[in-house]
Amino acid sequence: MIRIGAFLVGLFFAGWLLVSFLVGAVAFVTEPPAKTVEHEFHLNPKHVSFSFDGPFGKYDQAQLQRGFQVFKEVCSACHSLKFVAFRDLKGIGYNEAEIKAIAKQWAIKTPDVDPKTGEMSTRDPIPADYFPKPFANNVAAAAANNNAIPPDLSLMTKARHHGSAYVYSLLTGFQAQPAELLKEFPDAKTPEGLHYNPYFPNLNLAMAPPLTADGQVTYGDGTKATVDQMSHDVAAFLTWTAEPKLENRRRAGLATIFFLLIATGLAYMAYQNIWADKKKAA
């Protein structure tokens, strides 16, 4: 009886799921979802290539340093890198003295406690410190950015599909709303204080275009700092902040594949050697 009851209960739920599926399918065919402005005008990230693309790709340290300079001089005014310490910059080619100088000259001081009075104070960052946040708290961040809190960028390229290309596309994608959009969706005009960008999911974001003109940053290596170049460089740098061990991981993966190929070959030869006489006898 218990088995029969369990079978009937399972049959009931299976039938209910089938009916629900059929009802949903019929509703989708007879009343398809209405087109939305995001569905019609949201674009996938641009196709852009980086030195670290592919299984054998490697970071270009000169590009990473240029990207760090763009972050330092432009992005750090609003965005944080809370999972990156100054000493981590050794991974993009800076030596100990340079890292100390970068930390000491950082525009934002590090919160600290006065050991004598116990009161809150600030001090110059040191290499062991993580990059300071540009705002004291989320309320201050929202108040300075049209009520939107700028996200931390440490892991941004891992948090977005096609992360590196997404960052590049977003930075180079600010534009005026197309006339076609306003003609088809009159109520979809970008609200005051927001900025139209077809690479952002809902097309409008609070961040104003951060890279507005060529030469906004002066590169130390003489590279021409066009908007496209700066966007490309900072996207590469943010890929490194999210995956600083990318090259090591790929090397380990290739070594593992090579080892498995050899082990497979040895196992096959051992199999042939052990079972050769048995096959002849059979």
Side-chain angles (χ1 to χ4, degrees):
M1 289 297 294
I2 295 177
R3 290 183 178 179
I4 295 175
F7 173 77
L8 292 175
V9 170
L11 185 64
F12 170 77
F13 281 107
W16 188 261
L17 288 174
L18 180 61
V19 170
S20 299
F21 171 77
L22 292 174
V23 170
V26 170
F28 181 83
V29 173
T30 57
E31 299 180 11
K35 293 182 179 180
T36 64
V37 62
E38 293 88 351
H39 176 77
E40 291 291 310
F41 290 90
H42 175 58
L43 301 178
N44 291 322
K46 300 176 182 178
H47 177 72
V48 58
S49 60
F50 292 90
S51 63
F52 46 81
D53 290 339
F56 302 101
K58 294 184 179 180
Y59 286 125
D60 178 350
Q61 286 200 340
Q63 181 181 48
L64 297 182
Q65 291 187 10
R66 293 195 302 269
F68 169 65
Q69 186 177 350
V70 175
F71 172 81
K72 177 183 177 182
E73 297 184 20
V74 180
C75 309
S76 65
C78 298
H79 295 278
S80 58
L81 285 178
K82 64 182 181 180
F83 296 119
V84 183
F86 286 100
R87 62 186 175 192
D88 293 332
L89 295 177
K90 183 178 180 180
I92 63 173
Y94 288 107
N95 59 40
E96 187 175 347
E98 290 172 327
I99 293 173
K100 287 182 178 179
I102 290 171
K104 187 175 182 179
Q105 296 168 5
W106 198 255
I108 305 167
K109 302 303 181 182
T110 297
D112 200 0
V113 177
D114 189 322
K116 296 180 180 179
T117 64
E119 296 180 354
M120 292 297 298
S121 62
T122 59
R123 58 171 173 78
D124 291 331
I126 59 175
D129 289 327
Y130 288 84
F131 281 85
K133 295 180 179 181
F135 301 102
N137 50 57
N138 287 342
V139 176
N145 292 277
N146 197 28
N147 208 33
I149 301 173
D152 180 81
L153 298 181
S154 306
L155 305 176
M156 183 55 66
T157 58
K158 289 181 72 69
R160 298 292 184 271
H161 192 50
H162 299 303
S164 305
Y166 168 81
V167 172
Y168 169 83
S169 301
L170 193 71
L171 292 174
T172 58
F174 289 93
Q175 57 189 266
Q177 278 189 304
E180 181 185 355
L181 183 152
L182 295 176
K183 182 178 180 180
E184 188 172 350
F185 300 94
D187 296 332
K189 185 177 181 180
T190 298
E192 185 178 353
L194 300 183
H195 306 272
Y196 178 78
N197 192 316
Y199 299 98
F200 194 67
N202 69 1
L203 306 180
N204 302 302
L205 70 164
M207 181 178 72
L211 301 174
T212 57
D214 295 348
Q216 190 170 339
V217 170
T218 302
Y219 285 139
D221 62 1
T223 300
K224 187 176 180 180
T226 62
V227 170
D228 184 84
Q229 183 68 54
M230 290 184 289
S231 302
H232 199 267
D233 292 341
V234 77
F237 172 70
L238 293 177
T239 303
W240 173 80
T241 64
E243 297 190 86
K245 303 298 183 183
L246 176 68
E247 294 179 11
N248 293 339
R249 178 166 55 80
R250 286 178 175 171
R251 281 195 293 266
L254 291 172
T256 301
I257 292 173
F258 183 66
F259 167 78
L260 290 175
L261 289 174
I262 293 177
T264 301
L266 291 174
Y268 178 75
M269 289 187 288
Y271 167 80
Q272 292 286 69
N273 185 55
I274 293 172
W275 290 97
D277 296 338
K278 304 294 187 297
K279 290 182 178 179
K280 291 178 180 179

